[in-house]
Amino acid sequence: MRLLSTIVACLALAGLVARGSAQDQSFREEPDSVAVRQGETVTLTCAIDNVAGIVQWTKDNFALGSDRALPGYPRFTITGDVNRGQYNLLVQDTLLEDDGTYQCQASPTETQQGIRSQNAQLTIYLPPDNPVIEEGSSVSVIAGQPKNVTCRADNGKPAATLTWWKDGQEITEGITYITEDAGEKRKNGVSILTLNPSVDDHGKVLTCQSSNPAMDANKETTTQLNVEHTPVVVVQSDPPLVEEGSSVSLSCESRANPGEVRSSSGSRNDVNYQWKKNGVVLAGENGQVLRLNNVRREDNLQVFTCDATNAVGTNSANITLSVQYGPEPLKTTGQVIVDRGTSATLVCKWSGNPSPTIMWTKKGSSSVLGTGDTLTFPIVDQSHSGTYQCTAVVPGSGEDSREVVLIVNGPPIISSFEVQYASSGDEGQIECLSSNSPPPSRMAWTWNGIMLDTGTEGRFTAEQRDVHGGRLSVLTVSKVQAGDFAEYNCTVWNRLGLTSKIITLRQKEPLPLAAIVGGAVAGLVLILVIVLLVFVFCHRRRKKQADGQETPPKEKVEIIHRDHEAAKDKVPPPPPQRKYYITADYDDRDYSSKTSLGAPPPWTPPGGTYQDYKNGNLYSNPYNNYSSYPAVSEHSYERASIASRASRASEAQKKPRMMTHV
């Protein structure tokens, strides 16, 4: 029973405690910090459940009072429904002095402790003064030299935020921001901009912009940059590309500050000029324009400098003169000699302006093999030998060319006819021509078990001599016999190998009788036709005279060259320029392979001589007048064959060498 009574007492005491705790005063709503602009109205909220004590507000730990009207603070009022425990603090037309820390409190009672809310910070915003740039409406700076520009906005709460702009572009670098205490919770905002001005900054506008929570809109102030700088110089050529022999004007344009100085007495240019060529002062050339006359190719790439000076300093600009001229050779490998199977590089360098376009061709062909200063063959054989042309072209200035000879060393090449001819009983010759590089170290004939380099073996004599295009070995047979018409082996050696060629000597066939008779008949018929035409012409002329249609002229007879021998001393004027060829008759051998002589030999008067342009041999013209020249067909000769005939002048007199023209 005692235990039961104890349990009941405890439960009753717990109920009383619980009922009493539920009725303790407590905050249902506490005030929060808030910021407002000066002059605005603000309410700090406070709601208490089970209010038992006296409710009041404090500011910065100083009690404002418990009366809801808060006497002494006409702009302060405690508002809300008391029955609901509302004790809100209303502050109207806020002033800077209202800025502080506020707290809602309920006093203790005999049975309950007092309660305090969290602190609520009331912040009053004040707009700053208008921003000011201390340097004024214009700031003078020198290009390339740092300069500090200061902007400030005082008496703001909080301190004004300051930003910088240059011609509408925000500046984010080189800025230092500080605040200064202005008293009464106010602050001065100060921004220092470190400028690194350039020439392009001249005339630009710097803007300092201030902002603050108490401001409806940002405020700003401006200043204009006056950037003093040395002249900015530009040199131009008129025309840009100068033709050789013409004139050119170089102009020096400058932009400077200070530049042109104006005053009541007029204006003057405060910039002085001086011209230089390749760093050397040109005396007397101190104007803005430099005139150059009769420009030569040597002036190409010459550097002209214009110095411009003002009060800040001197600046310069250069121009490299560009003179247009045609191609001019600098370096050419005249002859390149290489061995077969190696590489070969031909060099042909030119100057010109614009730079020449260089093309390579092989002489006698229009196919372009390459372009540029060099023509390279990775691996050459003897077919690459020849003369190559490098042609340089400068548009508008012409073209020029040079020749480079490529010689490819290889084993000997024999270029003689495989079949040659001789007449029985006469002297016969067999020719073997080695026409490549390097020159042969040995040439030998072999036949019927006989080998002969040079010298005589019975009726056979071997001779060698250098001719145009190679080395010629001639095997001469005196009084050719039937057994001599056989095969002869010509072998040639050089340091790269040897080559042999079988040459067959055959009997020369006499001219058929039918051909002789046919030619005679044709000639007779031609003579008869000419006589008939002359007769008809003379007959018609006499008939016209007899009819009185033509008055016969007075006859004047003059005997010219009564003595035919004397006529030989009279040399007629040279005929018109024609292209001549020389008949290499080879004793009337029938050669089918022909090679043109190229350029004509010099004109030779009747009875005179001429010199072969290839081998230097002298030949005579046995005819004493042009009508005596016999007509011949187109002809040619094997390499150096005329040279081999030169030693047989006596035979040539018997069978005249003919000349013809085309």
Side-chain angles (χ1 to χ4, degrees):
M1 182 64 73
R2 176 181 283 181
L3 178 61
L4 181 60
S5 299
T6 302
I7 294 172
V8 171
C10 289
L11 290 174
L13 180 62
L16 292 173
V17 172
R19 186 165 54 250
S21 298
Q23 294 177 352
D24 286 347
Q25 56 186 3
S26 62
F27 287 102
R28 185 173 71 249
E29 188 174 357
E30 299 183 56
D32 292 322
S33 296
V34 64
V36 295
R37 297 177 182 176
Q38 180 174 271
E40 295 180 339
T41 297
V42 63
T43 298
L44 301 179
T45 61
C46 178
I48 303 174
D49 290 332
N50 304 316
V51 176
I54 299 173
V55 177
Q56 68 172 3
W57 281 88
T58 63
K59 174 182 178 288
D60 297 331
N61 297 321
F62 180 80
L64 298 179
S66 59
D67 191 321
R68 296 181 73 88
L70 295 178
Y73 301 95
R75 296 179 295 104
F76 287 55
T77 305
I78 296 176
T79 63
D81 188 349
V82 175
N83 295 327
R84 299 178 59 186
Q86 294 178 345
Y87 296 89
N88 301 327
L89 178 63
L90 174 66
V91 182
Q92 297 177 320
D93 299 327
T94 54
L95 298 174
L96 178 59
E97 61 190 42
D98 300 334
D99 188 275
T101 302
Y102 290 80
Q103 192 176 67
C104 180
Q105 300 176 353
S107 65
T109 65
E110 294 180 356
T111 60
Q112 295 187 31
Q113 294 181 345
I115 57 175
R116 294 183 179 185
S117 70
Q118 65 184 10
N119 290 333
Q121 183 68 40
L122 175 59
T123 302
I124 306 301
Y125 288 155
L126 293 178
D129 299 340
N130 292 335
V132 175
I133 295 177
E134 293 182 347
E135 284 73 18
S137 60
S138 177
V139 179
S140 292
V141 295
I142 296 177
Q145 297 183 12
K147 173 72 174 181
N148 288 338
V149 181
T150 302
C151 176
R152 64 187 305 126
D154 296 338
N155 298 315
K157 185 177 184 303
T161 299
L162 300 174
T163 56
W164 288 95
W165 304 74
K166 181 169 66 176
D167 271 8
Q169 297 293 323
E170 185 176 1
I171 302 173
T172 58
E173 297 180 351
I175 298 174
T176 302
Y177 179 79
I178 61 175
T179 60
E180 299 173 346
D181 189 2
E184 297 183 353
K185 298 184 178 182
R186 299 170 183 262
K187 296 287 185 180
N188 300 332
V190 181
S191 180
I192 302 171
L193 172 64
T194 301
L195 281 175
N196 287 295
S198 67
V199 173
D200 294 333
D201 290 332
H202 179 67
K204 291 186 176 181
V205 175
L206 277 180
T207 300
C208 175
Q209 191 176 85
S210 69
S211 62
N212 170 282
M215 298 168 58
D216 292 326
N218 297 337
K219 294 184 178 181
E220 61 185 33
T221 185
T222 61
T223 187
Q224 189 172 38
L225 293 177
N226 176 33
V227 182
E228 297 183 355
H229 57 87
T230 58
V232 178
V233 185
V234 177
V235 180
Q236 295 180 327
S237 173
D238 183 22
L241 183 61
V242 190
E243 293 185 4
E244 186 176 24
S246 63
S247 300
V248 62
S249 294
L250 304 181
S251 60
C252 184
E253 301 295 333
S254 67
R255 177 165 58 96
N257 183 28
E260 187 178 60
V261 178
R262 300 180 182 274
S263 63
S264 58
S265 60
S267 63
R268 75 177 192 277
N269 194 338
D270 201 30
V271 179
N272 299 318
Y273 299 93
Q274 178 62 61
W275 288 93
K276 299 176 183 177
K277 179 181 179 181
N278 295 329
V280 179
V281 173
L282 298 176
E285 298 294 344
N286 49 19
Q288 283 188 264
V289 178
L290 176 63
R291 181 76 173 175
L292 302 175
N293 298 316
N294 192 24
V295 177
R296 311 308 304 169
R297 66 182 59 189
E298 291 78 16
D299 296 321
N300 187 49
L301 301 182
Q302 300 298 301
V303 179
F304 290 84
T305 303
C306 174
D307 291 342
T309 304
N310 68 353
V312 179
T314 300
N315 207 354
S316 303
N318 300 328
I319 189 170
T320 300
L321 196 62
S322 181
V323 180
Q324 180 177 0
Y325 63 93
E328 180 178 4
L330 296 178
K331 178 183 178 182
T332 303
T333 51
Q335 187 180 78
V336 177
I337 302 175
V338 296
D339 288 345
R340 183 181 66 174
T342 62
S343 65
T345 298
L346 312 183
V347 178
C348 188
K349 293 185 177 181
W350 298 81
S351 69
N353 191 30
S355 297
T357 300
I358 303 173
M359 298 176 292
W360 289 88
T361 58
K362 193 170 185 180
K363 196 170 184 180
S365 172
S366 59
S367 298
V368 177
L369 303 177
T371 59
D373 292 342
T374 61
L375 178 64
T376 300
F377 299 101
I379 299 177
V380 296
D381 56 33
Q382 288 163 289
S383 66
H384 289 95
S385 293
T387 300
Y388 293 82
Q389 278 190 327
C390 63
T391 302
V393 179
V394 174
S397 297
E399 65 179 57
D400 198 359
S401 63
R402 290 293 183 271
E403 293 184 350
V404 179
V405 177
L406 175 60
I407 299 174
V408 180
N409 293 328
I413 297 176
I414 298 175
S415 55
S416 298
F417 293 120
E418 294 182 356
V419 178
Q420 302 183 23
Y421 296 87
S423 299
S424 296
D426 292 341
E427 181 182 88
Q429 288 189 337
I430 309 170
E431 298 180 346
C432 180
L433 177 65
S434 176
S435 57
N436 69 305
S437 178
S441 57
R442 182 185 178 190
M443 299 179 72
W445 293 93
T446 57
W447 76 100
N448 295 333
I450 302 173
M451 176 177 284
L452 184 62
D453 289 19
T454 58
T456 301
E457 180 71 30
R459 291 179 297 105
F460 296 86
T461 301
E463 298 177 331
Q464 298 180 17
R465 62 179 177 272
D466 293 325
V467 296
H468 179 79
R471 186 163 183 79
L472 181 67
S473 178
V474 180
L475 182 63
T476 302
V477 185
S478 64
K479 296 181 180 181
V480 176
Q481 301 175 5
D484 298 332
F485 297 109
E487 292 182 346
Y488 296 81
N489 188 329
C490 176
T491 303
V492 183
W493 291 263
N494 67 13
R495 66 179 177 83
L496 297 177
L498 63 87
T499 303
S500 295
K501 187 171 186 177
I502 300 297
I503 301 175
T504 303
L505 183 63
R506 291 182 181 175
Q507 171 74 39
K508 181 190 296 185
E509 297 296 334
L511 188 65
L513 179 61
I516 298 175
V517 173
V521 172
L524 181 60
V525 171
L526 179 61
I527 292 174
L528 290 176
V529 171
I530 294 174
V531 171
L532 180 60
L533 292 175
V534 172
F535 174 77
V536 171
F537 175 76
C538 293
H539 177 72
R540 290 183 177 179
R541 186 178 182 87
R542 290 193 195 98
K543 186 176 179 180
K544 287 182 180 180
Q545 292 177 353
D547 294 341
Q549 297 177 1
E550 182 177 345
T551 303
K554 295 181 180 181
E555 295 184 0
K556 182 178 181 181
V557 179
E558 182 177 356
I559 298 175
I560 300 175
H561 300 320
R562 183 181 301 275
D563 184 1
H564 290 289
E565 293 300 324
K568 294 181 180 180
D569 298 330
K570 300 291 186 176
V571 179
Q577 181 68 33
R578 294 172 175 173
K579 185 176 181 182
Y580 285 84
Y581 291 83
I582 304 171
T583 300
D585 50 61
Y586 288 89
D587 297 325
D588 292 333
R589 299 176 202 167
D590 185 15
Y591 286 88
S592 59
S593 177
K594 299 179 180 181
T595 304
S596 173
L597 286 177
W603 174 78
T604 308
T609 62
Y610 73 90
Q611 187 173 20
D612 191 304
Y613 82 103
K614 282 194 171 187
N615 55 38
N617 293 324
L618 294 173
Y619 300 99
S620 62
N621 183 355
Y623 300 101
N624 293 318
N625 57 67
Y626 297 104
S627 63
S628 302
Y629 289 173
V632 294
S633 60
E634 185 182 358
H635 57 277
S636 61
Y637 71 104
E638 172 63 10
R639 296 186 187 177
S641 295
I642 291 180
S644 68
R645 303 271 77 83
S647 62
R648 304 170 61 197
S650 60
E651 188 174 348
Q653 292 293 336
K654 296 176 184 179
K655 190 169 186 177
R657 188 173 304 275
M658 302 177 184
M659 298 180 63
T660 186
H661 65 271
V662 293

